[in-house]
């Protein structure tokens, strides 16, 4: 009995070691994916910040030119400085992610949904006929 327990303990240790190896391999992939996502986010942030800075410089140049020419009024200055209301980056990104998620769910779950129900219906039909 003591030998059986030792064999079971050894088998459990081997199983645990294999599971830990699989976990390490899976986590490496997730870390790579997370790193890529983080890098992409930082690049997008840098691009947006650069565009905003460039727009601000152009606005300042236009304001300076208009002031130099004597055509600058408070109303015109407010119109030039006011930000345009647009959808922005995040709403379009969230819409794209939603569509991507729906497409993924459709590909992954839709075929299985109907095949599982058909197999269950067939199984019930066989039980009822007996």
């Amino acid at each position: 009995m003591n030998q059986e327990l030792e064999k079971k303990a050894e088998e459990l240790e081997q199983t645990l070691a294999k599971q830990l190896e699989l976990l390490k391999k899976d986590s490496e992939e997730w870390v790579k994916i997370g790193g890529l996502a983080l890098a992409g986010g930082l690049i997008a942030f840098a691009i947006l910040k650069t565009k905003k800075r460039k727009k601000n410089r152009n606005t300042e140049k236009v304001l300076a030119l208009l002031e130099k020419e004597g055509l600058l009024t408070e109303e015109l200055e407010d119109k030039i400085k006011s930000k345009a209301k647009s959808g922005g980056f995040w709403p379009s990104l969230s819409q794209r992610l939603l569509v991507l998620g729906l497409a993924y769910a459709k590909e992954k779950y839709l075929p299985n949904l109907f095949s599982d129900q058909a197999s269950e219906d067939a199984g019930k039909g066989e039980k009822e006929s007996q």
Side-chain angles (χ1 to χ4, degrees):
M1 181 149 189
N2 200 11
Q3 292 176 351
E4 290 176 16
L5 289 174
E6 288 177 5
K7 286 182 183 179
K8 285 184 180 181
E10 186 177 323
E11 288 176 4
L12 288 173
E13 287 176 4
Q14 290 175 355
T15 305
L16 181 62
K18 288 180 183 177
Q19 288 176 347
L20 286 174
E21 287 178 26
L22 289 174
L23 180 66
K24 286 179 184 178
K25 288 180 183 177
D26 288 344
S27 65
E28 287 175 4
E29 292 175 11
W30 282 107
V31 167
K32 289 177 185 176
I33 292 170
L36 289 173
L38 180 64
L42 290 174
I43 290 170
F45 179 74
I47 290 170
L48 289 174
K49 192 160 184 121
T50 303
K51 281 187 173 184
K52 184 177 179 183
R53 188 176 301 140
K54 187 175 182 180
K55 182 181 175 187
N56 287 342
R57 281 191 217 143
N58 290 338
T59 304
E60 294 300 322
K61 287 179 183 178
V62 168
L63 288 174
L65 180 64
L66 287 173
E67 189 175 351
K68 182 179 176 183
E69 296 292 326
L71 301 172
L72 187 64
T73 63
E74 283 187 31
E75 184 180 321
L76 186 60
E77 184 177 358
D78 289 341
K79 283 184 181 180
I80 292 173
K81 285 186 175 182
S82 67
K83 294 182 179 181
K85 303 286 185 188
S86 66
F89 178 73
W90 293 112
S92 65
L93 179 65
S94 63
Q95 290 171 355
R96 290 179 185 156
L97 286 175
L98 177 66
V99 170
L100 183 67
L102 291 174
Y104 177 74
K106 178 183 168 189
E107 292 293 323
K108 181 143 178 116
Y109 297 113
L110 194 59
N112 296 339
L113 180 68
F114 294 119
S115 66
D116 288 344
Q117 287 180 352
S119 63
E120 287 177 9
D121 291 341
K124 288 180 182 178
E126 290 175 11
K127 287 182 182 180
E128 290 176 3
S129 63
Q130 290 177 358

